[in-house]
Amino acid sequence: MKRPNIIYIVSDDLGYADLGCYGGRPAGFGAVSPNIDALAAGGLKLTEGYSNSPVCSPTRFAMATMRYQYRLRGALEEPINSRSKGSATLGLPPEIPTLPSLLKDAGYRTALIGKWHLGYPPHFGPLRSGYEEFFGILAGGVDYFTHCSSSGDHDLYIGDVLAPDPGEARPPEGAQSSLGRPGGRLVPHKEVGYLTDVFSNKAVEHVKARAAEARAGTPFFLSLHYTAPHWPWETRDDAHVAPEVAKNLFHLHGGSVEAYRRMIHHMDEGIGWLVAALREEGLLEDTLIVFTSDNGGERFSDNWPLVGGKMDLTEGGIRVPWIAHWPAVIPAGAESGQHAMTMDWSATMLDVGGGRPHPDHPLDGVSLHALLRDPGHRFERPMFWRMNHRSQRALREGPWKYLMVDGNEYLFDISADARERANRAPLEPQRLADMRERWLAWNAGMPPIPPDATVSLGYGAKDMPAR
């Protein structure tokens, strides 16, 4: 089998039902996600796919290592924040094998465009963990126009070097990108401009730069990790918002559902540009595109019918969109209820790319290669989670879910009650006890959460009512 090019598209804080293909309603301006919906229609959509964590950087550790994130100290931060700058422990250690490093060993060209959020130089960084090229941010979030993080630092890098500061490097009057595509306005050239568009245009540039090699038999692995639709709530037309959120990117005083949906739509347009580039270069047929979110939705997202969101181990915090598109292999219009989580998709990419796990770091992720070829394929996939925040724990096994929050234990039949409103624990104490014991046995095999691990919420009930 010809090894595919692989593009791993990760959105940031996207809710389960924010996309049209997952039941999302149209916005005032029309369809929110027509290009992503088209990928789903032309490929495989999972209805019960999960993230490894309900918060960003822990999921990204699992995404990179294909193992439970709890094995690494940096992933026990919920999440890594700017106070970790200079730390030699709070990041992805370069000696740990990763999906990009193992694919690189297998002959792939590797690049990350977008969000890293796995530790700061000099100890950590994308180029130290298997990526040959990097263009993006190191922090958990930045302003879409100034590209500054919550600490106020300019945080957009080309490799290990800071890109030009938008406040200091402006394009010539009227200069526009040559990569503007139908469906979206032309955007400022290169590193200056609305960040979602900058990442989309860089991805198009990368595909075009790698196209000849790919056609000649050297495939590429591209991680395209957007910050959209993560706060601050800025659309392409909201450059005027940047000064007012500079000191607090959580943007607690602003935003709206309409602005949030436009942010998703801008990302969707960029994905459309990328798909068009693949088609123009004759690469779409043999490219595996996987789309997901790092965790459940934030304050403006739509998670219906799920409860909760980011930071919660209820379904709304961990059940996320999962779409795979590979015309040469995946039948169009496929849908599956197979249970899977972030590290499984990374393990799948390693498998289809012909890479091999490192013997000293066996994978926790399970390859879904058979599912791509046969969407009817099913297998049992128990999945475990834990969170320092609110002492949460969860186990999903078959239709059942064991959940603990703030010391309260619950048992839900998710197949009948995805909204987690009907607690079956009083009626089935033995099932509750059995699942609790399985969770405790799993947890005993993971490093404990150290007392200095931090939880960074950013806002609470004083800022807005609890959801």
Side-chain angles (χ1 to χ4, degrees), residues 35-303:
N35 293 294
I36 301 172
D37 297 347
L39 290 177
L44 170 67
K45 180 181 79 170
L46 263 69
T47 57
E48 296 192 49
Y50 291 81
S51 60
N52 262 70
S53 172
V55 65
C56 36
S57 61
T59 291
R60 294 168 195 273
F61 276 95
M63 185 188 309
T65 65
M66 298 161 285
R67 289 157 57 89
Y68 275 114
Q69 65 271 21
Y70 315 105
R71 300 183 184 281
L72 295 174
R73 172 62 187 88
L76 302 183
E77 300 293 292
E78 296 175 355
I80 285 177
N81 57 50
S82 59
R83 294 189 295 276
S84 67
K85 283 186 176 181
S87 170
T89 57
L90 301 183
L92 177 56
E95 66 271 16
I96 299 294
T98 64
L99 174 60
S101 72
L102 295 171
L103 284 177
K104 181 181 175 183
D105 290 344
Y108 274 73
R109 305 301 302 269
T110 61
L112 168 60
I113 295 172
K115 179 172 171 176
W116 167 246
H117 204 190
L118 292 174
Y120 291 91
H123 304 288
F124 311 108
L127 302 187
R128 296 167 177 79
S129 289
Y131 289 110
E132 297 174 296
E133 300 177 49
F134 170 57
F135 177 90
I137 69 166
L138 299 176
V142 299
D143 182 86
Y144 284 83
F145 295 94
T146 68
H147 312 153
C148 289
S149 68
S150 295
S151 63
D153 297 334
H154 181 53
D155 188 17
L156 184 61
Y157 286 79
I158 303 173
D160 284 333
V161 180
L162 273 171
D165 186 329
E168 299 173 359
R170 299 288 180 185
E173 187 69 27
Q176 298 288 326
S177 171
S178 61
L179 295 170
R181 291 291 184 272
R185 298 180 309 180
L186 293 175
V187 297
H189 185 62
K190 300 296 182 182
E191 291 79 39
V192 179
Y194 184 66
L195 191 61
T196 301
D197 291 333
V198 172
F199 287 160
S200 296
N201 284 332
K202 286 290 182 181
V204 171
E205 289 178 3
H206 184 79
V207 164
K208 290 186 172 293
R210 289 277 170 255
E213 278 187 341
R215 287 192 294 267
T218 301
F220 61 81
F221 170 63
L222 170 61
S223 294
L224 175 55
H225 296 176
Y226 286 101
T227 58
H230 191 285
W231 42 258
W233 315 114
E234 296 169 323
T235 73
R236 284 194 193 116
D237 299 321
D238 291 330
H240 63 279
V241 173
E244 70 183 59
V245 301
K247 294 183 179 179
N248 190 341
L249 293 184
F250 287 103
H251 202 175
L252 300 175
H253 64 281
S256 67
V257 171
E258 186 76 359
Y260 174 79
R261 288 176 165 183
R262 283 196 179 276
M263 293 171 71
I264 297 171
H265 188 64
H266 297 332
M267 173 179 66
D268 181 82
E269 287 178 319
I271 292 171
W273 306 341
L274 180 61
V275 171
L278 290 167
R279 185 178 290 112
E280 290 165 10
E281 296 292 345
L283 300 176
L284 186 60
E285 182 78 7
D286 291 309
T287 296
L288 169 61
I289 302 172
V290 174
F291 175 89
T292 191
S293 178
D294 59 351
N295 48 252
E298 229 249 24
R299 72 199 83 159
F300 291 113
S301 63
D302 185 357
N303 286 328

Side-chain angles (χ1 to χ4, degrees), residues 16-17 303-308 314-320 418-420:
Y16 181 74
N303 286 328
W304 181 262
L306 313 177
V307 165
T314 47
E315 293 287 285
I318 50 177
R319 198 192 292 195
V320 293
R419 199 161 169 75
E420 296 169 292

